[in-house]
């Protein structure tokens, strides 16, 4: 239980950091970064086998953020883990900064440049297949958005992962049900999502993607089935943790005003106070 509380505290601290980055840079993707924070926190502080002092370690687990625009939580976590100095977060989206608005593999800890949706899963399939061919034990994790499921390359990757029985591949969908112009089901309906992935030969697990305890349990027990890639549909709340932003499509890339930022930080601070 103590470990779960520590992870919840860390996720809250990461939310505070990413909001600071977005507020000071006056740009960023707020809603999706807040929704994926719990997922990334569990991956980086509990699940993945990585070494910030040796980011190119051959046996490391690989993470590919296909949902590249929601990068702020990713930068905050990599800095907190020690892949680069925390002070560099102050340069987010500034001229000549490495910390741009999408993952950039000039930054230690980032495997691939991503941003054009639909690329992360096919890349991850290649990495997982390479591990199988080379007899390596590392695992590959990738995070996609739910709006991203409209990309055809996602389903090409899905077929290949099943064909090659890549049970060292774990894909996660940040299922917050909102994309830039509205709800996913209005823009391009994707339900029944779980059944679609099962029909492509994946083992599918659904989870509350903002519940740290559930995430730890599911991610600690992959592959869900030997010989199959695992798909985790993580049902999340866009803007999670900030009441004015939760489930609000307008917060996809909204920058908080001074008053909104101060209120959000106060709200997150209060959440920290009860996590003891």
């Amino acid at each position: 239980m103590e470990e779960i509380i520590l992870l919840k505290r860390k996720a809250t601290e990461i939310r505070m950091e990413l909001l600071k980055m977005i507020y000071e840079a006056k740009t960023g993707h707020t809603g999706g970064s807040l929704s994926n924070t719990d997922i990334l926190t569990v991956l980086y502080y509990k699940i993945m086998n990585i070494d910030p002092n040796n980011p190119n370690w051959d046996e490391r687990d690989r993470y590919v953020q296909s949902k590249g625009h929601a990068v702020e939580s990713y930068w905050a976590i990599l800095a907190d883990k020690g892949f680069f100095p925390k002070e560099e977060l102050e340069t987010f989206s500034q001229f000549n900064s490495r910390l741009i608005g999408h993952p950039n593999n000039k930054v230690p800890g980032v495997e691939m440049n991503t941003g054009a949706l639909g690329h992360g899963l096919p890349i991850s399939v290649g990495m997982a297949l390479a591990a199988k061919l080379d007899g390596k034990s590392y695992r590959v994790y990738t995070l996609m958005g739910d709006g991203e499921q409209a990309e055809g390359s996602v389903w090409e990757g899905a077929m290949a992962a099943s064909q090659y029985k890549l049970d060292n591949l774990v894909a996660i969908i940040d299922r917050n049900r909102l994309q830039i112009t509205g709800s996913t089901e209005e823009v391009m309906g994707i339900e029944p999502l779980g059944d679609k992935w099962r029909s492509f030969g994946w083992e599918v697990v659904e989870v509350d993607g903002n519940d740290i305890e559930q995430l730890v349990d599911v991610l600690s027990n992959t592959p869900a089935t030997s010989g199959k890639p695992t798909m985790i549909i993580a049902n999340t709340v866009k803007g999670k943790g900030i009441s004015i932003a939760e489930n609000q499509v307008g917060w996809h890339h909204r920058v908080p005003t001074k008053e909104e930022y101060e209120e959000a930080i106060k709200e997150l601070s209060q959440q920290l106070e009860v996590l003891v």
Side-chain angles (χ1 to χ4, degrees), residues 42-43 46-49 61-62 132 137-142 166-172 202-207 214-233:
V42 172
L43 283 174
K46 171 65 179 177
I47 299 298
M48 290 200 304
N49 189 20
D61 287 336
R62 272 70 165 170
K132 292 283 189 181
S137 61
Y138 65 79
R139 292 188 177 185
V140 182
Y141 299 86
T142 186
L166 300 181
D167 55 5
N168 58 342
L169 173 62
V170 178
I172 306 165
W202 289 59
E203 190 64 31
V204 178
V205 182
E206 295 209 32
V207 64
Q214 285 189 39
L215 286 166
V216 168
D217 181 58
V218 168
L219 286 163
S220 297
N221 290 285
T222 57
T225 297
S226 180
K228 284 187 174 185
T230 299
M231 167 54 67
I232 298 173
I233 299 176

Side-chain angles (χ1 to χ4, degrees), residues 66-67 116-121 143-152 154:
S66 190
K67 183 185 177 179
L117 297 177
H119 290 185
L121 182 64
L143 177 69
M144 295 182 282
D146 48 6
E148 186 175 356
Q149 304 308 294
E151 295 283 354
V154 168

Side-chain angles (χ1 to χ4, degrees), residues 181-189:
T181 56
S183 76
T184 55
E185 298 315 290
E186 292 172 340
V187 176
M188 181 66 73

